[in-house]
């Protein structure tokens, strides 16, 4: 039909068959940001947010989300992740989240890294929304991937 990998000959959605692909080490890094008021950022830094340790809970949420990506994104393959790492950088205007996901598999982990960043930032919002309902989540993007047939890529 269109040459798109997730469509069959009739144009219906399908999960791509990766069975014939070689197993290779794959890694993806994604990043995103949530901006907020200075007061909300200061409360996160001070550990005074009523719901608890915002960054610790957000980090765990990101890891959990990466592991559940195939349950959330309909055509993603379930992958045995060997690594999910969430780095959080808090500054006076918000939090930048960077997620790294890795596997040895037949398909990449870009969606796992992107899902991890998204859930991490959504959790920051949930934990701190009583302090600032105007927080903005954005700039979620893939910044690097390694492995697989298409090789390495960096933004």
């Amino acid at each position: 039909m269109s040459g798109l990998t997730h469509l069959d000959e009739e144009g219906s959605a399908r999960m791509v068959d990766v069975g014939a692909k070689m197993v290779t080490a794959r890694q993806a890094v994604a990043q995103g940001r949530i901006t907020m008021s200075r007061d909300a950022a200061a409360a996160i830094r001070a550990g005074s947010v009523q719901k608890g340790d915002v960054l610790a809970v957000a980090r765990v949420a990101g890891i959990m989300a990466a592991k559940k990506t195939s349950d959330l994104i309909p055509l993603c393959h379930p992958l045995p992740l060997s690594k999910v790492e969430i780095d959080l950088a808090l500054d006076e205007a918000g939090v930048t989240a960077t997620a790294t996901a890795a596997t040895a598999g037949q398909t990449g982990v870009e969606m796992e890294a992107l899902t991890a960043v998204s859930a991490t930032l959504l959790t920051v919002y949930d934990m701190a929304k009583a302090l600032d309902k105007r927080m903005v989540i954005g700039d979620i993007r893939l910044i690097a991937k390694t492995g697989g047939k298409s090789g390495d890529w960096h933004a």
Side-chain angles (χ1 to χ4, degrees), residues 97-112:
T98 305
T100 303
T103 191
Q106 295 166 298
T107 190
V109 289
E110 295 92 341
M111 293 309 300
E112 286 73 11

Side-chain angles (χ1 to χ4, degrees), residues 28 30 62-63 65-70 73 76-81 83-84 86 99-103 107-118:
I63 293 166
K67 296 183 339 182
K68 293 291 188 179
T69 299
S70 67
I73 309 298
C76 279
H77 293 82
L79 298 176
L81 296 172
K83 172 184 175 180
V84 179
I86 310 292
T100 303
T103 191
T107 190
V109 289
E110 295 92 341
M111 293 309 300
E112 286 73 11
L114 288 162
T115 300
V117 164
S118 300

Side-chain angles (χ1 to χ4, degrees), residues 1 4 6 10 18 30 33 36 39 42 52 56 79-80 87 94 96 102 107 116-117 126 131:
M1 161 133 204
L4 298 175
H6 284 76
E10 289 81 39
V18 297
R33 180 152 172 85
M36 63 189 64
D39 289 344
L79 298 176
D87 178 56
T96 299
T107 190
V117 164
D126 181 55
L131 301 172

Side-chain angles (χ1 to χ4, degrees), residues 39-73:
D39 289 344
I44 291 171
R45 181 176 312 285
S48 62
V49 176
Q50 191 172 13
K51 286 189 172 184
D53 186 337
V54 173
L55 300 182
V57 174
R59 185 174 288 110
V60 172
I63 293 166
M64 290 175 64
K67 296 183 339 182
K68 293 291 188 179
T69 299
S70 67
D71 292 337
L72 301 169
I73 309 298

